[in-house]
């Protein structure tokens, strides 16, 4: 069983990465072979509309643009499970994650009848991290989570979305112009809530890495 893990945060050791590394441990504990990729290390853009994937006779589910992302797209389609994490930036996933979604989705989409070229199955876990507390997530970002669920259904597997809320954004709030945040509350969330989030990420990894 192969699980591919994609970090859509530019920070390689903060909240999103910590959650994903825990998910990776979970997947490996269930016997999965894992690959971990920091998307911000790769050089790519969103879809360039070259339409090579729509050419008659073109191999299906293949992004033909020559950059760092196309081989990753090949490996996602070949995996048993994918776990992708993103911080929420301005109410959305990061631009790297959005670019990946465009290209993954578009090369599997038929422009003849809007059916799905992809006939395999990849189970998907999405981890979203954010400043917003859970209540605000439910109110404002729940729709985004549903959209993520919908978009990854194109991989024909199960899709689960986990919201890791009220994260610690910096270690020392007193050094930044971030007066809107209650530093004591953030520290408390990091000490009490975040360990539970990490445990849930481990469990997600174990579920997805363990296969069907
Ligand atoms: C450019 C930028 C935009 C952000 N926008 C939001 C937002 O709209 N809502 C929110 O809840 N948090 C927002 N945040 C906070 C991050 O989502 C949060 O700190 C996240 O846990 C960071 O993940 P990381 O530690 O893996 O980098 C934003 C952070 C940055 C840098």
């Amino acid at each position: 069983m192969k699980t591919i893990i994609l970090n859509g945060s530019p920070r390689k050791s903060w909240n999103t990465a910590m959650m994903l590394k825990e998910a990776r441990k979970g997947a490996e504990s269930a016997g999965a072979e894992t690959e971990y990729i920091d998307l911000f290390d790769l050089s790519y853009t969103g879809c360039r509309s070259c339409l090579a994937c729509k050419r008659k006779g073109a191999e299906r589910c293949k992004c033909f643009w020559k950059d760092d992302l196309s081989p990753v797209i090949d490996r996602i389609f070949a995996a048993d499970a994918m776990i992708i994490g993103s911080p929420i930036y301005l109410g959305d996933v990061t631009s790297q994650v959005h670019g990946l979604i465009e290209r993954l989705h578009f090369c599997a989409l038929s422009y003849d009848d809007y059916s799905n070229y992809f006939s395999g199955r990849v189970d998907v876990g999405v981890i979203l991290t954010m400043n917003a507390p859970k209540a605000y997530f439910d109110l404002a970002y729940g729709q985004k989570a549903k959209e993520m669920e919908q978009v990854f259904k194109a991989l024909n597997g199960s899709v689960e979305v986990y919201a890791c809320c009220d994260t610690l954004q910096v270690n020392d709030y007193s050094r930044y112009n971030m007066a809107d945040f209650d530093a004591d509350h953030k520290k408390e969330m990091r000490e009490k809530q975040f360990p539970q989030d990490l445990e849930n990420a481990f469990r997600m990894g174990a579920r997805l890495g363990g296969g069907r």
Side-chain angles (χ1 to χ4, degrees):
M1 301 297 291
K2 178 88 197 272
T3 301
I4 189 160
I5 298 163
L6 304 167
N7 178 21
S9 170
R11 301 201 290 182
K12 290 183 183 180
S13 56
W14 274 80
N15 299 284
T16 314
M18 287 165 82
M19 290 288 284
L20 290 167
K21 285 170 188 168
E22 223 36 48
R24 180 184 203 177
K25 282 190 208 155
E28 288 177 351
S29 78
E33 181 196 331
T34 63
E35 180 183 9
Y36 185 101
I37 299 171
D38 285 301
L39 292 177
F40 274 83
D41 276 353
L42 307 183
S43 174
Y44 69 91
T45 66
C47 179
R48 301 284 195 131
S49 195
C50 70
L51 298 180
C53 65
K54 302 286 174 273
R55 284 276 184 119
K56 289 192 187 301
E59 188 183 334
R60 292 179 170 186
C61 301
K62 185 145 192 75
C63 181
F64 291 91
W65 196 263
K66 292 205 182 329
D67 65 7
D68 291 351
L69 188 66
S70 293
V72 174
I73 289 176
D74 290 343
R75 300 210 289 284
I76 293 171
F77 284 126
D80 299 291
M82 170 178 83
I83 302 175
I84 185 164
S86 179
I88 293 289
Y89 278 8
L90 308 180
D92 213 324
V93 291
T94 60
S95 53
Q96 295 297 96
V97 171
H98 204 273
L100 177 145
I101 288 172
E102 279 176 15
R103 288 177 51 187
L104 184 74
H105 205 77
F106 196 64
C107 70
L109 176 73
S110 163
Y111 253 12
D112 290 326
D113 58 6
Y114 291 96
S115 62
N116 184 3
Y117 285 147
F118 185 58
S119 57
R121 174 177 173 157
V122 183
D123 291 320
V124 177
V126 181
I127 292 174
L128 302 173
T129 76
M130 68 209 76
N131 261 329
K134 179 74 170 61
Y136 191 79
F137 166 79
D138 290 339
L139 188 76
Y141 304 143
Q143 190 52 38
K144 179 53 53 188
K146 285 202 183 85
E147 275 172 34
M148 287 294 112
E149 221 174 290
Q150 204 49 44
V151 89
F152 287 121
K153 273 190 183 151
L155 292 175
N156 301 325
S158 61
V159 186
E160 46 183 294
V161 181
Y162 186 82
C164 172
C165 299
D166 222 341
T167 55
L168 187 77
Q169 194 166 8
V170 292
N171 278 325
D172 183 354
Y173 281 80
S174 70
R175 297 177 63 193
Y176 295 86
N177 291 321
M178 293 173 92
D180 197 41
F181 297 105
D182 178 342
D184 291 336
H185 170 74
K186 286 288 189 185
K187 286 268 178 210
E188 194 184 336
M189 291 302 284
R190 166 53 62 109
E191 279 158 22
K192 294 193 177 143
Q193 177 57 41
F194 195 58
Q196 288 175 38
D197 292 320
L198 292 174
E199 205 174 306
N200 289 330
F202 183 95
R203 289 208 187 104
M204 174 194 272
R207 261 191 316 279
L208 293 172
R212 303 177 274 276

